[in-house]
Amino acid sequence: MNTDYFFFAFNNMSAIYLAINIAYYMSMRSTKRNFLFLVILMYLIVIYIVILICGLLGKLTPLSICIILFILSGLTLFLNKKFYKISFNDKIYQTTPKSLHNNYYFVISFCVFIGVIILWLYNTILEGSRFSWDDFTYHASIPTHWLLKEKIFFVPYPYQTYYPFNAEIISLWFMLPFRSDTFVSISGLCFCLLAIISMFQLMKACGCSMITSYFTVALFLLSPSIQKTAQTFSANDLAAPAMLLAAMVFLLPKPFLRKADNFLDAFCCGICAGFAAGIKISFIPAIIIVGCAFFMVRYFLFSSKDTISCITLFLIGIIGTTCFWYVRNIILTGNPLFPAQWLFFDGPLNSSLLNRSKLIWWFLKKPLSLKQNLYIVKSLFDWPVILGMIAIFGYAGWIYIFCFRKKTALLSYQKSSLLIILCSGLIMLFLFPFMPFSGTHEEPHGWLIVENRYIVFSFIGGLILWGAFVERLNLVHFLPGLIWYVLFVFVIITTYSSFELIIICIGCIGCFILLQLLKFVKSIEIRKYHISLIAYLFIFTILLIYPLKKRSTEMHLQSWGEGLTIGDFQVPSPCKAWIELEKLPHGSRIGFFAFSTTGNLHYYPSFGRKFQHIPVPLRNNGSREQPLHISWDWWGQKDRETNVTKDELTFNLMKESIDYIILSKGILKGKWPHQAQYFEKTERFRKIFDNGQAQIWKLNNPY
């Protein structure tokens, strides 16, 4: 048997086994929770802990992970039989099919939901992994360094190496067995499943029916922005909101709480909020929001001793999933948020550059510019626009209800749940314009760029509130249902291709036929072991399609950037040059000039598809890039101002043992980096590829 397939199957099956046991223990010790929600969350936490421990010990190999998981699984099995007597035959869901068919709204909403899920599974499982610009720069390149060195260490370049990398650790899990990026899109699927189930739990807490929940989640999944975000290398912009949603599931009030619930909820809430802040720095304020909300909602249940215990558990959870990255920065630079300059912490990203990168700076610069304001609004609410509008209506509707309608037919815990979702979504939306890089990218002279992927959490909150608002409308029964149908049909017709519509229709029809067949079944019971069987079947299924998915991933890379634009500018596509890199000798040192406009695009592709090459980020003069806390040169501003001679450039390239150099045209003026002129005039450099958009040069080293 191929060891790659064995390690992938065994490691994932072991992680699922551990996750199911932890989830069962949690549900046993406290008030009943959604078991599937706990399993998915614990699966991600198990992966995180195992990868981090192996990486820090310098044993980041499939075999080491296999041994650790084997020991943990064996120990868990022994404890189950000896002490806990855990049974996987317990029911977690039971229903009568006939009761479902009596409600046509439920049948339609469920079929719609399954149809959209089928499309998602197709895009995630059958389609290959996709990549964004940031993936090539750091999301994919830094984990690849860890994979090759078999340890988690500080990668000197780029500046994003000082960021937290919780989401990339999950992607690394799926890279390790095959030493390939073929399966990294599954990490996005895991975070998406966590977001979906969290939405169901939150909507249930708000008093929404399953019909409303199915339609709301289906609309969320239909958003092209969400699908695009989820299919990137580590899906950071979906992963952080998903973890924050999971934290909110634990903090929301529940009826008939016991003391054990508060302790467990505090700990798990801290784990999830901390994990979100360990994915994106912009989610650090979410820790404060979640913490305050948790203790405000449940303060009446605590004694002073219990309050101290809950605060301690909450902080332990945060520290366990957050502190590694920020403590590392403190050790290296003395600044936990390096490279940003803030308070009394110094950094090369000074206050002037930091302020210019914020959206609020651009708005205050031209507050009356109609063109700019329309661009900002369109960029933020194009989910498409119809979904952005209903998210706004969700917030507006509940603001109106809470401010102007004092009497609402809501239970106290439902009202508290709605208030928490409303306030947290609005706070995160309000903070967005004040966040670094909300208005432009890291270039000191970059133009206004606004992307809605940074406000996914607020968008999800708006959809939940909209669903709860429609549920509460005192209208004829069919009208709320009609609203959902019109929205669903409008979104899929205006957004998706004919092929994707066919997939959705096949999923809907297949689900409807299955429901009809289930009429003849007296009762449907789902037990705990069914979840493990489904998960194991999923693992073996994706292993069977590995060659197909790998080929699809290669096709995506080979066409990346064709037709890509940033604002009004066309991005020169480097994909043909990346194909040529595969023809170079194994072990080639491939240099790229880091701070040319498109230089960092070549970082990850320069590893080669089998990670057979060595990428080398270069400064303007051909020397190797230094860590930012040593060079203190933000975006190479000092480096760009340095005059370089062709002899100095050649000497430095030879000193770094560079074999090949890859170049791309700039975006703004469409010019080659100035080094290309030196290469043209020096016999030591030979051009081996040039398609007008990218070049590859060979350095003939006389030594």
Side-chain angles (χ1 to χ4, degrees), residues 426-658:
L426 288 176
I427 290 171
M428 292 299 287
L429 184 63
F430 173 78
L431 290 175
F432 166 70
F434 300 91
M435 291 292 177
F437 308 130
S438 58
T440 187
H441 291 170
E442 57 275 292
E443 295 93 334
H445 304 292
W447 58 91
L448 176 64
I449 300 175
V450 183
E451 298 181 79
N452 60 11
R453 61 191 175 98
Y454 298 122
I455 58 169
V456 169
F457 176 78
S458 297
F459 170 64
I460 294 174
L463 290 182
I464 293 173
L465 293 170
W466 163 259
F469 183 73
V470 171
E471 185 93 7
R472 296 289 167 182
L473 288 176
N474 295 319
L475 300 171
V476 182
H477 181 65
F478 76 88
L479 191 53
L482 183 63
I483 292 173
W484 289 118
Y485 305 148
V486 171
L487 279 173
F488 177 76
V489 171
F490 181 82
V491 170
I492 62 172
I493 289 177
T494 57
T495 307
Y496 288 91
S497 65
S498 300
F499 178 70
E500 291 169 321
L501 290 177
I502 291 172
I503 293 176
I504 294 175
C505 290
I506 291 173
C508 292
I509 295 170
C511 179
F512 180 77
I513 293 172
L514 180 61
L515 287 176
Q516 297 307 309
L517 294 175
L518 289 176
K519 280 184 178 180
F520 303 101
V521 180
K522 291 183 179 180
S523 177
I524 299 175
E525 296 179 352
I526 299 177
R527 300 181 182 273
K528 287 184 170 64
Y529 72 86
H530 291 153
I531 292 179
S532 59
L533 290 177
I534 292 171
Y536 297 157
L537 180 63
F538 175 77
I539 290 170
F540 287 113
T541 301
I542 61 176
L543 283 175
L544 290 175
I545 62 171
Y546 173 74
L548 177 65
K549 191 171 176 62
K550 184 176 182 180
R551 182 183 176 188
S552 179
T553 301
E554 302 296 334
M555 291 174 63
H556 291 158
L557 272 174
Q558 290 172 9
S559 60
W560 193 92
E562 294 181 350
L564 178 66
T565 58
I566 298 180
D568 298 326
F569 302 100
Q570 181 76 35
V571 176
S573 175
C575 60
K576 303 304 179 186
W578 297 344
I579 296 173
E580 291 297 315
L581 293 179
E582 301 305 309
K583 303 175 183 178
L584 304 181
H586 284 214
S588 297
R589 293 175 62 83
I590 300 173
F592 60 92
F593 292 99
F595 292 113
S596 62
T597 312
T598 53
N600 284 336
L601 266 179
H602 304 301
Y603 199 168
Y604 181 64
S606 294
F607 281 103
R609 297 305 300 143
K610 297 180 180 178
F611 304 143
Q612 72 273 26
H613 300 318
I614 304 170
V616 183
L618 301 172
R619 300 175 65 199
N620 190 34
N621 64 359
S623 61
R624 191 184 182 95
E625 270 293 340
Q626 296 296 311
L628 188 57
H629 67 276
I630 294 175
S631 69
W632 215 262
D633 185 11
W634 179 254
W635 203 245
Q637 292 182 88
K638 299 175 184 176
D639 185 33
R640 292 168 192 257
E641 297 170 359
T642 305
N643 293 322
V644 181
T645 65
K646 64 179 180 180
D647 292 336
E648 181 187 3
L649 177 64
T650 304
F651 175 80
N652 287 331
L653 291 174
M654 292 172 60
K655 183 180 178 181
E656 297 294 340
S657 301
I658 300 299

